[in-house]
Amino acid sequence: MALRTRIITRAFSNLTHKPKLQVLGNGSSDVIRADPTGSPVSNCGSSFSTAAAAVEAPASASASASVERLFGLVKEYEDYRRGLYGGLTHKALLVDAVGTLVIPSQPMAQIYKQIGEKYGVEYSEDEILKRYRWAYGQPWGRSRLRYVNDGRPFWQHIVSCSTGCSDSQYFEELYNYYTTEKAWHLCDPEAERVFQALRAAGVKLAIVSNFDTRLRPVLRALNCDHWFDAVAVSAEVEAEKPNPTIFLKACELLGVNPDDAVHVGDDRRNDIWGARDAGCDAWLWGSDVVSFKEVAQRIGVEV
C-alpha cells in the first residue's frame, strides 16, 4: 500500500491543475529554500498528505474505484510518452542544484558563526539563523534579481544582517568558502552512475538553478560539471525560478522542446509550478521521486 500511495501522490501532483504565477522580479517566495551561501532554512514542507491518507483508507468502494482509475491514467500517460520516444518518457532531464543535486555539508548558521568568531561575531547560531531568515525574506530593492553576476552585493547585505559584522575580510572568507568542496556534498551518492546511464540512453541533462556565478566553480569542485550538457543559472540567464524563462533557456541550450523535458527540484513553487508554466513536466524531489535512480526508471532507463 505504501508504494501505491506514493504513485497516487505523484498522480495528483502531475494531474492537478497548477495556477498561473505572477512572476516577481525580486524572486520573493513564501518559503525560504537552500541558498548559495547557506543551508536549507525553510521549515515548511508541502505534500499531498491528505490525499495520500485518503488513498491509504478509502472510505467506500467508489473511492477505491477512483483510486484504481487514477492509477490507470498515470500508467496510460507514461506508456503513451514511452511510445513517442522509443521507450523513454522524456528526451531531457532538468535538475535543480541546491536541495536536489547538492546540499550544504554543515548548517549555514554554524559556518557563519565558526568563521565569524575571529572577526568579532558574537551572535549565537540561533540568532544568526533568525536574522538570516528575516533578511533573506525581505524584498531585494537594488535589482530585480538577487543573484546578479557574482551576487556579492546581495550576499554582503545578508551576511551583515545575519551576523552584525560588515568586515570585508570576513565576507570574502565566507563567500569563498562556499565555492569549495568542503561546503557541499551530493544529495544522492548514486548520481554519477545514474546520469551516465541517462546520457548513454540519449537523454540530455541540464542544471537549472537560482544561483550566482559561483555555481560553475562549485560543480567543478565536486567534479560533477561534466555530467551535464548545459547549465542555466539565474545570474547568467537574468531570470530566477519560477520565471519560465530560465527553463526555456535550458531547453534551448539542450536543443529540445519544453514538452520533451522533465524538471526535478525540491521547491513546489519555484521548481514545479515554474517548470510547468514553461511547458515542461515536473517532479518534486523528496515526494514524487526520492532518488535519481527512480528518476531514471520513470523516464524509462534502467540503471
Side-chain angles (χ1 to χ4, degrees):
M1 181 61 77
L3 176 59
R4 172 161 297 186
T5 298
R6 287 180 57 204
I7 293 174
I8 298 302
T9 300
R10 294 173 190 158
F12 278 112
S13 178
N14 285 330
L15 299 179
T16 300
H17 172 71
K18 65 182 190 316
K20 297 295 283 184
L21 294 175
Q22 178 183 4
V23 178
L24 302 177
N26 62 9
S28 62
S29 174
D30 55 349
V31 296
I32 302 173
R33 284 292 175 182
D35 62 88
T37 66
S39 61
V41 296
S42 172
N43 57 7
C44 301
S46 180
S47 69
F48 286 89
S49 56
T50 303
V55 173
E56 288 283 10
S60 64
S62 176
S64 181
S66 296
V67 167
E68 293 295 337
R69 180 172 178 275
L70 187 54
F71 182 87
L73 287 172
V74 175
K75 184 178 185 303
E76 181 180 345
Y77 174 71
E78 292 187 345
D79 287 347
Y80 160 74
R81 299 280 306 195
R82 291 191 179 97
L84 288 178
Y85 304 133
L88 301 177
T89 60
H90 299 85
K91 294 180 179 179
L93 171 63
L94 314 180
V95 179
D96 170 49
V98 180
T100 306
L101 179 67
V102 301
I103 55 176
S105 297
Q106 295 171 280
M108 172 276 300
Q110 180 180 328
I111 294 300
Y112 278 37
K113 173 71 172 175
Q114 180 180 313
I115 295 178
E117 284 181 339
K118 62 184 177 182
Y119 296 97
V121 172
E122 298 179 350
Y123 291 148
S124 67
E125 291 180 22
D126 287 343
E127 180 68 14
I128 289 173
L129 180 57
K130 181 177 72 173
R131 293 169 67 93
Y132 175 94
R133 284 175 169 165
W134 179 86
Y136 197 87
Q138 300 306 302
W140 177 240
R142 302 186 194 179
S143 167
R144 66 185 182 86
L145 301 173
R146 292 171 296 174
Y147 312 135
V148 177
N149 297 322
D150 60 15
R152 270 186 166 82
F154 175 74
W155 288 117
Q156 285 172 332
H157 170 71
I158 295 297
V159 170
S160 177
C161 288
S162 301
T163 64
C165 179
S166 300
D167 189 303
S168 60
Q169 288 184 309
Y170 168 48
F171 171 76
E172 288 299 324
E173 183 173 346
L174 187 62
Y175 181 89
N176 291 326
Y177 169 81
Y178 281 101
T179 65
T180 69
E181 71 280 1
K182 294 184 296 182
W184 309 93
H185 66 272
L186 296 171
C187 286
D188 185 345
E190 290 192 299
E192 181 174 14
R193 185 166 66 94
V194 173
F195 290 146
Q196 286 176 343
L198 284 166
R199 293 183 78 180
V203 178
K204 296 182 178 180
L205 303 175
I207 291 285
V208 180
S209 177
N210 287 352
F211 213 121
D212 53 60
T213 51
R214 288 174 297 169
L215 179 59
R216 294 179 188 275
V218 167
L219 296 177
R220 287 195 295 270
L222 294 175
N223 196 31
C224 63
D225 57 317
H226 61 286
W227 299 351
F228 301 95
D229 301 294
V231 175
V233 57
S234 63
E236 298 172 355
V237 176
E238 298 185 351
E240 293 180 0
K241 296 182 291 184
N243 189 327
T245 299
I246 191 170
F247 298 97
L248 295 174
K249 182 61 176 181
C251 291
E252 177 187 331
L253 291 171
L254 293 178
V256 300
N257 294 324
D259 59 1
D260 292 334
V262 60
H263 176 70
V264 175
D266 68 318
D267 187 298
R268 188 174 299 281
R269 178 179 183 270
N270 286 344
D271 292 305
I272 305 306
W273 295 350
R276 290 178 181 172
D277 276 344
C280 304
D281 271 349
W283 300 332
L284 186 64
W285 181 260
S287 178
D288 299 332
V289 289
V290 297
S291 70
F292 286 118
K293 182 176 181 179
E294 186 176 2
V295 170
Q297 289 172 339
R298 288 195 65 178
I299 291 173
V301 176
E302 291 298 325
V303 180

